[in-house]
Amino acid sequence: QVQLVESGGGLVQPGGSLRLSCVASGITLDYYVIGWFRQTPGKEREGVSGIRSKSGRTYYADSVKGRFDITRDNTQNTVTVYLQMDSLVPTDTAVYYCAASKIITATRDSLYHYWGQGTQVTVSA
C-alpha cells in the first residue's frame, strides 16, 4: 500500500524559507513521479513541482521557478522528496500536498493516484 506523509509546513515571514518533506513508502514501480501540489480555499489545486524516479528529471510551475528546488533521497524501502522553498511570498500560502503517479510525465493532479494528507504553509508578516 502506497503511503505519503508530508511534514515541514509552518508560519514564515515574507522572504523566508521552508523545506517540506514527503516520505513515500510502498511504491513498487520502477518508474513513477512524485509531485507537490498546493491549494487555497476556493481555488483549484495547483501543480508546483515534480521529480521522476529514474531520471530525476524535474518540473516547476512558472510561479515558483528560481525560488523552489525539488530533490529526492532514495533508501531501500522509502523515497523522501524535499521541496526547498526560498524567497517565500504571501501568495505561496496554501496547503501543500505530495502525490505519486505511475505516469511519469504527469503534471495535472487528476493523473496522480496517491496523496498525502497535506501540510499548511503560511507566509505572513
Side-chain angles (χ1 to χ4, degrees), residues 48-63:
V48 175
S49 183
I51 187 166
R52 298 181 187 179
S53 58
K54 287 290 187 180
S55 67
R57 186 171 180 176
T58 61
Y59 73 84
Y60 297 92
D62 289 342
S63 58

Side-chain angles (χ1 to χ4, degrees), residues 83-113:
L83 186 67
Q84 177 67 41
M85 307 186 296
D86 298 324
S87 302
L88 286 162
V89 297
T91 50
D92 293 319
T93 296
V95 177
Y96 283 71
Y97 300 89
C98 70
S101 174
K102 60 184 180 181
I103 305 171
I104 63 171
T105 57
T107 57
R108 292 185 289 119
D109 60 350
S110 60
L111 298 178
Y112 281 74
H113 311 95

Side-chain angles (χ1 to χ4, degrees), residues 38-46 90-97 119-122:
R38 65 187 181 186
Q39 190 170 26
T40 55
K43 293 188 177 181
E44 293 186 355
R45 195 154 44 191
E46 174 191 17
T91 50
D92 293 319
T93 296
V95 177
Y96 283 71
Y97 300 89
T119 186
Q120 176 71 48
V121 171
T122 303

